[in-house]
Amino acid sequence: MAAPRAALHLHRMFLAAAVAVAAGGAAGAKVPAMFVFGDSTADVGNNDYLPWSIAARADFPHNGVDFPGGSRPTGRFSNGLIGVDFLAIAMGFGSSPPPYLSLMADINITEGTRNRTMAAAAAYMIGANFASGGSGLLDSTGSTISMTQQIEYFSDLKDQMSARLSTDSVSALLSKSVFLISSGANDAFDFLSGNRSLDSTAIQQFSEAMISTYDSHIKTLYHLGARKFAVINVPLIGCCPYLRSQNPTGECVETLNQLAKSLNDGIRDLFSNLSSEMQGMKYSIASAYQVVYSLIQNPHAAGLEEVKSACCGGGRFNAESGCTPSSRYCSDRSKYLFWDLLHPTQATSKFAGLAFYDGAAQFVSPISIKQLVEA
């Protein structure tokens, strides 16, 4: 495309974006945009753009075997869609916000400005996803895109948006948009691996460090313009197939579940305190912990049958190894709680997404994500 034509195309994109903002977001959407941060429970493909040496990736079969529109791996750690996809659809978006790194891919000297402009325009019309599988709340967790870096990417994107449209327009959009965060499980896994004999003092110190870090991240996002926070708490991680496979009894690892509960108690108190301190802040906490617990207790509520073993993998509970192109996988994914050794199936994610958006108080509080969207 010739330079003048490219400039005209980008100008038109921003005109369309400005119209979308004035109308309240993308056509049919209930909020202007959705910005996503977190780990593999929210990653829609950012890790695809990291070096191949990064182990936390899902851009290969059998991941995506049930992805709508055709079987293909998308970077989601799932056989299909994940929770953030279903939440985006519930909010009225046609699809989940794109991975940020896909918008910024292949930037070079001549294309850099164009790609950044396209990224900013896309963010205006739907938002962006910064989540990275393997990351945590703590910068020391994992080797992918840390939460600190994810927020820095968002800050850069905000600058690009503000440089092309008025600061007031950007501030208005961000104040009405939903900022979704799903993180903490990988920090807990790392903590357990380095502290096999956990005592109450070690758990308390770790939990305090986690909550302090969470506090810092939320305040940074708030100062960047975020006002509506949808938080997915730490799941019942001790019951994932991998942990069962490592437990001689085959039961859940209750130490990890107690650690997750401790973190979730801290997250609940943190957001309650922050909302009273920061003017205009609203929040909803979706309980991944409670969803997994309830499905293990009553799998038929979501049409599930198998809640202990992974659909795709190998070894005991089909979870001693991850899901790879050579792994065997179950024929009916809709009956399984877990897709691989750690992650839920599309069926589970759909149940969770609906429960988080407009479900009972046991799954989402103090308000539902639907109420957060409408606030």
Side-chain angles (χ1 to χ4, degrees), residues 11 63 77 91 140 155 177 195 217 227 238 277 290 308:
H11 178 67
N63 296 300
F77 293 77
M91 291 180 204
S140 58
S155 180
S177 297
N195 298 271
H217 290 322
R227 292 296 181 270
E277 296 172 9
Q290 191 61 39
K308 294 183 178 181

Side-chain angles (χ1 to χ4, degrees), residues 93-161:
F93 293 106
S95 63
S96 190
Y100 173 75
L101 292 188
S102 73
L103 300 172
M104 305 300 289
D106 302 322
I107 286 179
N108 55 43
I109 293 174
T110 59
E111 290 290 304
T113 299
R114 176 174 179 269
N115 284 1
R116 287 188 174 88
T117 301
M118 292 180 70
Y124 245 90
M125 289 187 274
I126 188 171
N129 185 312
F130 304 89
S132 176
S135 69
L137 289 168
L138 304 175
D139 286 351
S140 58
T141 299
S143 58
T144 54
I145 309 170
S146 68
M147 183 65 72
T148 297
Q149 182 63 63
Q150 291 177 39
I151 295 173
E152 288 176 0
Y153 281 152
F154 168 71
S155 180
D156 291 343
L157 184 58
K158 180 191 174 184
D159 289 344
Q160 294 299 322
M161 294 162 69

Side-chain angles (χ1 to χ4, degrees), residues 221-301:
L221 285 170
Y222 179 86
H223 291 306
L224 287 169
R227 292 296 181 270
K228 295 184 176 185
F229 295 89
V231 180
I232 300 177
N233 71 11
V234 182
L236 194 72
I237 49 180
C239 292
C240 67
Y242 175 72
L243 269 299
R244 286 185 186 273
S245 76
Q246 301 302 299
N247 188 351
T249 68
E251 297 301 318
C252 299
V253 177
E254 290 304 328
T255 305
L256 256 182
N257 289 339
Q258 287 302 314
L259 179 58
K261 186 177 185 304
S262 174
L263 291 173
N264 291 337
D265 289 344
I267 291 169
R268 180 197 61 220
D269 293 343
L270 170 67
F271 277 86
S272 177
N273 293 334
L274 288 176
S275 67
S276 65
E277 296 172 9
M278 301 195 296
Q279 184 177 4
M281 176 187 170
K282 301 176 179 67
Y283 73 96
S284 174
I285 298 178
S287 182
Y289 186 102
Q290 191 61 39
V291 163
V292 174
Y293 176 81
S294 69
L295 289 178
I296 290 174
Q297 296 300 310
N298 183 21
H300 298 296

Side-chain angles (χ1 to χ4, degrees), residues 16 81 86 102 104 179 183 200 233 241 278 285 299 313 318 369 372:
L81 298 176
F86 290 108
S102 73
M104 305 300 289
F179 287 72
S183 188
S200 58
N233 71 11
M278 301 195 296
I285 298 178
N318 212 27
I369 293 178
L372 178 72

Side-chain angles (χ1 to χ4, degrees), residues 15-27 32 124-125:
L15 284 177
V19 171
V21 173
Y124 245 90
M125 289 187 274

